[in-house]
Amino acid sequence: MVFDNNNETNSSSNPIIRSIPREDSPLLGTSDSLSSTPKTFANIFIAIVGAGVLGLPYTFMRTGWLTGFIMIFVVSGLAYRGMMLLVETRRKLETPLTYSRINSFGDLGFAVCGPIGRFVVDILILASQAGFCVGYLIFIGNTLSHLFHSAPVESGNYLNAAPYIWGLKAKTFYIWGCFPFQLGLNAIPTLTLLAPLSIFADIVDVGAMSVVMVQDVVVFLKTTTNVHAFGSFSTFCYGLGVALFSFEGIGMALPLEAEARDKKRFGFVLGWAMFSIAAMYGVFGVLGYFAFGENTRDIVTANMGKGMLSSLVQLGLCVNLFFTFPLMMHPVYEVMERRYWEGRYCLWMRWVLVMVVSLVALLVPNFTDFLSLVGSSTCCILGLVLPALFHYIVFKNELKREELMYDLAMIVLGVILGVLGTWFSLMEMLF
């Protein structure tokens, strides 16, 4: 049986379709030009690093700096194993006599578990991608409110002191201000012209992180803050959700490996990339917490004050997340249009989804609390449970019992962490 034969035919008969970025399209490199090792490393970095890193200092404040630092590396290791399990499972299935094309996470779900496998993956991708976009809008609304409206540092939630604008809270005003422009951007059926903005967004993220870390060091040398190394069990579960959100690139594992020129070294390159990102995340979180202590805010850039450099960094992040929004929503549209419109473009459905995402963003006050919820409820299943489950199903008759126990342990761990993290995240948001 040949997998996805219809898509293969369509791609060969219409070469224009191949140029359209899809949920399984790396941002660097194409299928006609395989990625070198440095480009593969860059693709991995781009796929994983996102806005979630800006919530890490606040997370470290909640979990304790040592707990948070260790937790980042543990989650990095688990995410790495999840990605490699997906790659190994595809390599096993993708033969001329079985499934000849497995391009994405959803394809692998179908190959292993049939329609129900694809359905589960699709649902989780919908929830996680839409969740990322909700986080973007929360970040934009909160950051612009902080920049243009004064609020006391002592306030637990700095938006409480923000004035109303035209009868709306500042955050609400800015989110609704984005809405009509997002309708226009998300109406674009082909996102080829917008894809480079996502790469630029990651460059700006790294630049912003560098500026924030330099300021953290300066502040830390001038002031004395009280910090703690460990937190409670509930804050540990909360932090795991944020950490899982920060390593958000599980859905790109298969296309990244497919694009690599030296596939035998892909695991090595992925391992070094994950270690480098974890080290960067850990240092960023620790420095932010050490600099501001208990005054660390849910979006660490809000601690930077209102100087010219600080304002430019925060505005740059807002602009880039604004343009990254339609790229992150594209997998959602692709899944919905494939399931309900036979792959045809549907404008009103896209606009309804933008409306839903905007309404959810209005209801969530805290950026990092929402990251924890999304990370625990969706990223945990996508990154830990499903890769181990698919690997177990495919290899259960070939591997030794001890080897299969690792898969089962990862499944159980993912379920437990997902349930606990979701529960404690909801408690933080509701009470």
Side-chain angles (χ1 to χ4, degrees), residues 41-286:
F41 185 96
N43 267 329
I44 295 169
F45 191 89
I46 291 169
I48 292 175
V49 176
V53 65
L54 300 174
L56 288 177
Y58 178 83
T59 303
F60 280 29
M61 180 193 75
R62 302 292 303 276
T63 64
W65 68 269
L66 185 57
T67 301
F69 191 82
I70 295 173
M71 177 184 64
I72 285 293
F73 281 91
V74 171
V75 171
S76 173
L78 290 172
Y80 168 78
R81 187 171 192 273
M83 291 182 178
M84 290 308 299
L85 289 179
L86 292 180
V87 171
E88 291 174 11
T89 304
R90 177 173 66 178
R91 288 174 178 174
K92 172 66 177 177
L93 292 175
E94 204 172 55
T95 65
L97 298 178
T98 55
Y99 298 93
S100 62
R101 289 194 63 191
I102 300 177
N103 295 324
S104 66
F105 204 159
D107 290 348
L108 186 63
F110 181 83
V112 176
C113 299
I116 190 172
R118 182 186 289 279
F119 176 77
V120 171
V121 173
D122 283 351
I123 290 296
L124 290 172
I125 287 177
L126 288 175
S128 61
Q129 294 294 126
F132 297 153
C133 293
V134 170
Y136 292 168
L137 291 180
I138 296 172
F139 177 90
I140 292 171
N142 286 2
T143 299
L144 293 180
S145 299
H146 166 71
L147 276 178
F148 301 121
H149 306 282
S150 299
V153 173
E154 295 79 8
S155 174
N157 183 350
Y158 53 87
L159 290 179
N160 289 339
Y164 283 72
I165 304 175
W166 295 353
L168 299 173
K169 287 184 177 180
K171 171 191 169 184
T172 304
F173 174 82
Y174 289 117
I175 290 178
W176 280 126
C178 294
F179 181 71
F181 300 100
Q182 286 298 341
L183 291 181
L185 288 173
N186 286 268
I188 301 174
T190 304
L191 298 180
T192 305
L193 297 177
L194 291 178
L197 289 173
S198 185
I199 301 174
F200 181 64
D202 281 285
I203 295 173
V204 172
D205 283 342
V206 174
M209 289 172 61
S210 301
V211 172
V212 172
M213 285 191 287
V214 170
Q215 188 191 49
D216 289 345
V217 173
V218 173
V219 173
F220 176 72
L221 294 176
K222 291 182 178 180
T223 60
T224 301
T225 56
N226 295 321
V227 297
H228 58 278
F230 304 98
S232 64
F233 178 72
S234 62
T235 58
F236 170 74
C237 295
Y238 171 93
L240 279 173
V242 179
L244 286 164
F245 185 102
S246 300
F247 291 94
E248 62 189 52
I250 183 67
M252 293 298 296
L254 296 180
L256 285 170
E257 192 266 346
E259 293 293 329
R261 181 179 300 154
D262 189 352
K263 291 178 172 52
K264 292 182 179 180
R265 288 177 54 84
F266 177 77
F268 175 80
V269 176
L270 177 63
W272 268 109
M274 297 295 282
F275 178 82
S276 301
I277 293 170
M280 181 181 67
Y281 280 0
V283 171
F284 184 80
V286 168

Side-chain angles (χ1 to χ4, degrees), residues 32 36 67 73 111 113 123 164 179 229 251 280 290 304 330 332 341 353 390-391 409-410 426:
D32 297 325
S36 62
T67 301
F73 281 91
C113 299
I123 290 296
Y164 283 72
F179 181 71
M280 181 181 67
F290 274 36
M304 293 180 65
H330 189 64
V332 177
W341 282 272
L353 289 174
F390 292 165
H391 188 266
M410 192 167 175
L426 287 173

Side-chain angles (χ1 to χ4, degrees), residues 18 23 75 84 164 189 348 376 393 396 403:
R18 297 174 64 89
E23 65 179 281
V75 171
M84 290 308 299
Y164 283 72
W348 69 265
S376 299
I393 292 174
K396 63 182 177 181
E403 294 174 313

